[in-house]
Amino acid sequence: MESKLMDPFGRVHDYLRISVTDRCNLRCVYCMPEEGMQFEPTERILSYEEITSIVKALAPLGIRKLRLTGGEPLVRKGLDQLIAMLSAIPGIEDIALTTNGIYLAAYADRLKSAGLTRVNISLDSLKPERFARITRGGKVDRVLEGIKASQRAGFQPIKLNVVLMKGVNDDEVEDFLRMTLEAPIDIRFIEYMPIGDSGGNWKSSYLPLEHVLKTCGDKWNYESCGDVYGNGPADSYRIAGAAGTFGLIHPVSSHFCGSCNRLRLTADGNIKPCLYWSDEYNVRPLVGDDKAVQDLFYKALGSKPETHDMVKALKGQQIDGTPTLRHMSQIGG
Ligand code: SAM
Ligand code: SF4
């Protein structure tokens, strides 16, 4: 079915990213401050029934793909129940999860049985000490166990999200690329984005992703491999003979706003038409009235900006508009 969710720029939306919590068991340096986070009280967070009701209202309009994110979605109890509820909605074809992987070893099988179709795991370093520094305390072994458990559970391919940071993990590109040689793993290198106050040191750590192609080309032959299903805005490549692929997601240096097909729902029930800007529409009071929910989504779409201004932020240029004050963990990435 053709989506009815079209914005003023002709972009058709079939994808909803749902944040199920603003809480997290890690404190990644680019996402959350070390201290002082104010979390939403539980009663302000959408219940699973409310999330399901919103998706039921949107499926007839053409939403087909969902992604559960957070905060860390697996810190919320019973996520498999939500997945089962969502996968039973007619029209929903694909339910993906973005997770830091810390709890994945314990839940991968259950999530798969409940109807989860795909999993993205965030992993910015393979070095235990460095991983602990970036995540402020995480144990990389747990993530690696989570990756193995996901493979055993039958998720394929597994996607790994790597936020590339100058002077922090840019010397590990080769190690990550090497992971694609034997296993059907897709590594997605992501540019560091200036969301919320995601670090006063954003500009000094920001690194354009040409670095990845240069590192790869120095070592291997590789070729562009077109559209890998579910890769969204990533340009995808494969090292000659490799089982997996790698992709570059460069929202800052080369934005992909022209093909944006996504809407976001925060854990506290706000529709965000764009990751970058502050505009939000609180849908929670309308839940249960499908027509009103649909109308608010149409209104949010009607105000969706043509593009974000991250590149202006990078160049220190004047920005016309108000960037969001939320941290990435309060939006879901
Ligand atoms: N906790 C889960 C995780 O880490 O995968 C899901 C939520 S996290 C906010 C979603 C994604 O956003 C992760 O892949 C994370 O690396 C990415 N992210 C967070 N802050 C970012 C930033 N400032 N720039 C680029 N990516 C960021
Ligand atoms: Fe938590 Fe994910 Fe943000 Fe890291 S990136 S602090 S794991 S929400």
Side-chain angles (χ1 to χ4, degrees):
M1 182 193 60
E2 186 64 23
S3 175
K4 296 178 181 141
L5 293 165
M6 192 190 288
D7 75 6
F9 303 97
R11 294 172 296 195
V12 171
H13 293 66
D14 61 359
Y15 177 23
L16 181 68
R17 296 178 66 102
I18 303 170
S19 172
V20 299
T21 178
D22 59 345
R23 287 166 199 258
C24 189
N25 46 354
L26 299 179
R27 293 285 181 280
C28 302
V29 290
Y30 47 69
C31 181
M32 267 199 204
E34 185 164 17
E35 289 174 343
M37 274 301 289
Q38 301 283 321
F39 296 107
E40 294 290 346
T42 313
E43 64 274 13
R44 281 179 54 96
I45 299 291
L46 291 176
S47 67
Y48 288 164
E49 288 71 22
E50 287 172 313
I51 293 172
T52 305
S53 172
I54 292 168
V55 174
K56 272 188 183 151
L58 296 179
L61 304 187
I63 289 292
R64 291 183 290 116
K65 288 168 47 173
L66 305 175
R67 176 170 298 279
L68 304 180
T69 176
E72 172 48 39
L74 290 176
V75 302
R76 184 149 173 194
K77 284 208 183 80
L79 194 71
D80 53 324
Q81 290 160 29
L82 174 65
I83 291 166
M85 288 155 82
L86 295 174
S87 64
I89 298 174
I92 297 302
E93 295 168 3
D94 190 64
I95 306 177
L97 173 74
T98 302
T99 171
N100 61 31
I102 295 285
Y103 292 151
L104 205 47
Y107 289 110
D109 284 329
R110 239 184 286 174
L111 298 172
K112 180 83 179 153
S113 308
L116 189 70
T117 38
R118 292 184 297 121
V119 61
N120 286 40
I121 302 163
S122 302
L123 177 61
D124 302 320
S125 175
L126 299 167
K127 299 179 192 291
E129 275 174 27
R130 183 180 286 176
F131 182 84
R133 230 174 15 251
I134 296 172
T135 57
R136 299 199 182 96
K139 293 201 172 16
V140 73
D141 283 352
R142 302 210 30 195
V143 184
L144 298 174
E145 281 162 25
I147 294 171
K148 284 194 197 126
S150 308
Q151 288 169 320
R152 279 196 302 273
F155 290 107
Q156 201 188 1
I158 309 280
K159 292 185 196 295
L160 299 187
N161 289 359
V162 181
V163 178
L164 208 60
M165 291 165 280
K166 185 160 63 187
V168 177
N169 61 354
D170 48 345
D171 58 342
E172 288 188 69
V173 167
E174 191 179 318
D175 296 341
F176 278 114
L177 290 173
R178 203 175 290 284
M179 291 175 83
T180 70
L181 296 178
E182 302 294 333
I185 284 180
D186 290 346
I187 309 276
R188 297 147 47 94
F189 295 97
I190 304 175
E191 279 180 344
Y192 188 173
M193 290 182 261
I195 298 295
D197 63 352
S198 62
N201 60 355
W202 168 66
K203 272 191 209 172
S204 55
S205 303
Y206 170 80
L207 184 69
L209 298 181
E210 285 72 31
H211 172 68
V212 175
L213 296 182
K214 165 95 181 58
T215 308
C216 188
D218 286 348
K219 184 90 195 162
W220 294 285
N221 290 324
Y222 68 93
E223 59 184 16
S224 171
C225 54
D227 216 9
V228 172
Y229 182 74
N231 259 12
D235 298 333
S236 293
Y237 303 87
R238 186 187 300 276
I239 294 174
T245 63
F246 66 98
L248 309 183
I249 304 185
H250 31 61
V252 181
S253 61
S254 162
H255 69 71
F256 36 80
C257 302
S259 59
C260 185
N261 65 342
R262 55 191 63 191
L263 287 160
R264 293 177 167 81
L265 181 64
T266 64
D268 56 350
N270 283 286
I271 308 164
K272 278 191 75 65
C274 176
L275 169 70
Y276 185 69
W277 300 109
S278 61
D279 307 59
E280 297 185 349
Y281 299 81
N282 193 344
V283 73
R284 194 174 194 199
L286 308 176
V287 174
D289 180 343
D290 287 358
K291 170 81 174 55
V293 167
Q294 292 172 343
D295 284 347
L296 194 65
F297 270 86
Y298 279 128
K299 186 172 174 191
L301 263 182
S303 77
K304 182 158 172 151
E306 188 171 11
T307 184
H308 58 68
D309 268 354
M310 292 191 222
V311 79
K312 283 191 180 169
L314 181 65
K315 292 179 178 164
Q317 295 168 346
Q318 161 107 18
I319 289 170
D320 307 318
T322 314
T324 185
L325 290 176
R326 286 182 185 264
H327 297 287
M328 196 69 108
S329 59
Q330 296 166 315
I331 304 173

